[in-house]
Amino acid sequence: MRPRRGRGVTILDVAERAGVSVSTASRALTGHPDVSAQTRKQVLGASQELGYRPSLLAQSLVLGRTSTIGLLVSDIANPFYPALAKSIEDAASNFGYIVVLCNTDDDPPRSLKYLDRLIAQGVDGIIHASVGEDEKHLSLASQAGVPVVVLNRRPRLLRDVDVVISDNQKGAEEIVTHLLELGHRTIGHIAGPEYATLCEDRLAGYRRALEKKGIPFNPELVVRSKFTHEAGAQAVQELLQREPRTTAIFAVNDVVALGAMDALLERGLEIPRQISLVGFDDIEISRSPTVQLTTVRQNLVEMGRLGVMQLVDAMSNPETHQPQRIVLEAGVVLRNTAAQPADIPQPE
Amino acid sequence: MRPRRGRGVTILDVAERAGVSVSTASRALTGHPDVSAQTRKQVLGASQELGYRPSLLAQSLVLGRTSTIGLLVSDIANPFYPALAKSIEDAASNFGYIVVLCNTDDDPPRSLKYLDRLIAQGVDGIIHASVGEDEKHLSLASQAGVPVVVLNRRPRLLRDVDVVISDNQKGAEEIVTHLLELGHRTIGHIAGPEYATLCEDRLAGYRRALEKKGIPFNPELVVRSKFTHEAGAQAVQELLQREPRTTAIFAVNDVVALGAMDALLERGLEIPRQISLVGFDDIEISRSPTVQLTTVRQNLVEMGRLGVMQLVDAMSNPETHQPQRIVLEAGVVLRNTAAQPADIPQPE
DNA sequence: CTGAAAGCGCTTACAG
DNA sequence: CTGAAAGCGCTTACAG
């Protein structure tokens, strides 16, 4: 039987080689001031020679922290998340934290499973950026004393967690107002699942914009969709079937808008000549020359960065940290998928 | 001072409550057979009542495994990686492993820093899917007895690691042959950095295809580029300046091809009427109706899944595991960006 | 079937 | 400035 971990050089080996006690070796290694220069040199030398690497596992156990944070996203393959994850990983790494990635698929049991595991594993904090109905599971973390930062969702019940979110309602209101100003009057909305607050907020923005222009809200024009490309494509069919005179569509996010775009193109509709289409998020693909989606920009890099800042503060100062709600601006980005409505009725 | 971790229920609390020793509590909790049904019930009950959750940290220290794997990617915000990461996370999770995500930016020192940290942290295995010149750093892991699986790159020196890779040369040869068969004779290649074997393999495939058709290789037609959108856009400018009669371009990957596409469209060139463009990878965006990039498909989901399978085997059977090199097929996907060359010379 | 003890690899009061 | 000892929260031979 060979030792479990490679050559398994422990601090005991270093201490022996340096001819000191384990305590002294530890102090020398961790840079404790009360160590004579000579002893320190010997210990460091021994450590070098042996290729000693301290077990963070053991350190974590005694120090009570792992310098690890957990990140829950709905689905890293959904193009909304990579930029956010990158920003989080970047910022976390600057503070010496490493990040564990978990895909919840917005499935509450999965979410629970991960949360449980992360807590048991001893993560120092959790960033929760998925939107499933798992809010109650989050309290597990708080109970266990693990600070939580919630990104991109507005908690319904949870207090004492930090929140970083865009102003979804205002952003939605702005872009729908833009459509109205272009002259559109029959504007469909592909809304997201009801459980996600961001959807409700964007829907509220949509309604608000109509209201301000004195246009009655028509529930027929709102169709619910999941957060996927395919669902967006389906939703648009449904919408156009319900109301063929729709001249513009506001999709709950870009991924859904892109799905809708596919379906519209497939139907032979020209965007924006025959129908306008706008989204929300401004993910990378939306900017590409072949897409040029008019949308609302969420600053995901900033969201990730601020989320980490809040979490770091919460982890470093558990006693004094005050959870905050940070609301980011989200403004319209004009591109090529929204224009004045054509007078021409749709083909067929 | 409150306890570090929330209420901090330990196995000692459970044991006391159940009126047994810690050893017995442990055995009951871990499902050891030699525990009387009654004792087990009591312990489990106590555990329930106290809301006990075992410290995986402590368990890891004694058991010598953390059920954690490290994943190194170049950049999760690069659309190549999310699908791969998803697949890995999925498969890993099925085996009870959690994954730590690290962005190397293909920067060897960063890579080293992460590798070091992951090993010290005690990950049970590492999946390395970034392409920087950090191969020698990988041997750290092997030395420390941590199994490594390399994805999407062909190690130059390292033995005893598992490799899962697509047949880059063959894929490249196939798609360039396709261009040749369409009638192209002046085919540019936007190659990637020389340090990445996958670039060299794709370049070799490009050369092979030309050779088979008896077309002399013209080094002027090969321009090097980084793996980014922007670099692709720049590279295409360089290429067209060197050889304006280029009628088709093979980009080292889709991200680069998409950048090239931007630049071509900006120049007012129609794809594929005036110039053909093909890539490699078949990332999600390439499939979208507005892009429809002709490319070579890499099965990233399969690559991730197989990578995890190999790693799990290596972690479970360290003594008997035989590192393997698995080569995945990579075939051409015909879409809309490659067609017969026009006789019309380019505008301007 | 159960308990006392050792040990996983560290850190840190406590004495000296 | 240094060392012996206790402890972080578990598991598992070893006795009984």
Side-chain angles (χ1 to χ4, degrees), chain B residues 138-206:
Chain B
L138 268 180
S139 51
L140 270 183
S142 309
Q143 273 171 237
V146 179
V148 171
V149 172
V150 166
L151 260 37
N152 196 36
R153 61 145 65 184
R154 182 167 48 74
R156 293 188 204 265
L157 2 119
L158 234 53
R159 305 305 307 158
D160 65 286
V161 298
D162 284 274
V163 177
V164 186
I165 199 171
S166 295
D167 195 334
N168 287 304
Q169 176 168 341
K170 191 166 153 215
E173 183 180 336
E174 250 179 48
I175 201 158
V176 175
T177 300
H178 171 62
L179 292 173
L180 290 165
E181 283 171 352
L182 285 170
H184 294 277
R185 287 302 174 264
T186 311
I187 303 175
H189 177 41
I190 305 180
E194 298 182 20
Y195 61 70
T197 55
L198 69 88
C199 301
E200 297 318 287
D201 294 345
R202 291 176 195 173
L203 175 57
Y206 164 84

Side-chain angles (χ1 to χ4, degrees), chain A residues 235-249:
Chain A
V236 92
Q237 308 285 16
E238 166 79 17
L239 178 63
L240 258 30
Q241 185 173 321
R242 286 201 205 156
E243 180 47 272
R245 287 164 305 181
T246 304
T247 64
I249 298 172

Side-chain angles (χ1 to χ4, degrees), chain B residues 61-285:
Chain B
L61 191 60
V62 23
L63 298 178
R65 60 178 150 73
T66 54
S67 299
T68 297
I69 69 181
L71 171 61
L72 273 63
V73 299
S74 300
D75 173 9
I76 192 69
N78 172 331
F80 175 81
Y81 290 101
L84 189 61
K86 172 77 179 299
S87 156
I88 288 169
E89 204 263 351
D90 243 43
S93 151
N94 284 339
F95 288 100
Y97 290 90
I98 225 169
V99 359
V100 175
L101 177 70
C102 308
N103 287 116
T104 66
D105 288 331
D106 284 344
D107 175 41
R110 241 181 110 89
S111 203
L112 176 58
K113 198 192 90 190
Y114 272 126
L115 247 8
D116 218 58
R117 168 76 182 265
L118 290 172
I119 295 167
Q121 194 107 318
V123 296
D124 295 337
I126 290 175
I127 294 188
H128 189 269
S130 96
V131 299
E133 272 181 297
D134 57 355
E135 209 184 307
K136 60 177 181 299
H137 300 328
L138 268 180
S139 51
L140 270 183
S142 309
Q143 273 171 237
V146 179
V148 171
V149 172
V150 166
L151 260 37
N152 196 36
R153 61 145 65 184
R154 182 167 48 74
R156 293 188 204 265
L157 2 119
L158 234 53
R159 305 305 307 158
D160 65 286
V161 298
D162 284 274
V163 177
V164 186
I165 199 171
S166 295
D167 195 334
N168 287 304
Q169 176 168 341
K170 191 166 153 215
E173 183 180 336
E174 250 179 48
I175 201 158
V176 175
T177 300
H178 171 62
L179 292 173
L180 290 165
E181 283 171 352
L182 285 170
H184 294 277
R185 287 302 174 264
T186 311
I187 303 175
H189 177 41
I190 305 180
E194 298 182 20
Y195 61 70
T197 55
L198 69 88
C199 301
E200 297 318 287
D201 294 345
R202 291 176 195 173
L203 175 57
Y206 164 84
R207 296 187 64 153
R208 196 100 219 286
L210 296 178
E211 194 178 294
K212 281 197 181 166
K213 281 277 179 189
I215 297 175
F217 170 69
N218 176 2
E220 281 289 296
L221 286 172
V222 175
V223 9
R224 293 281 173 181
S225 158
K226 291 188 179 181
F227 289 125
T228 65
H229 197 93
E230 297 68 37
Q234 279 176 27
V236 92
Q237 307 285 17
E238 166 79 14
L239 178 64
L240 257 30
Q241 186 173 318
R242 285 199 206 160
E243 181 47 274
R245 288 165 304 181
T246 304
T247 64
I249 297 172
F250 165 43
V252 67
N253 69 27
D254 285 1
V255 169
V256 169
L258 261 22
M261 182 178 281
D262 283 9
L264 293 172
L265 295 176
E266 211 158 273
R267 271 188 170 231
L269 289 172
E270 277 180 48
I271 303 171
R273 206 176 59 77
Q274 296 174 293
I275 193 160
S276 288
L277 174 67
V278 302
F280 203 113
D281 285 349
D282 194 27
I283 60 178
E284 180 122 2
I285 322 173

Side-chain angles (χ1 to χ4, degrees), chain B residues 21 23-24 27 34 36 39 62:
Chain B
S21 73
S23 346
T24 301
R27 279 187 285 256
D34 291 351
S36 78
T39 306
V62 23

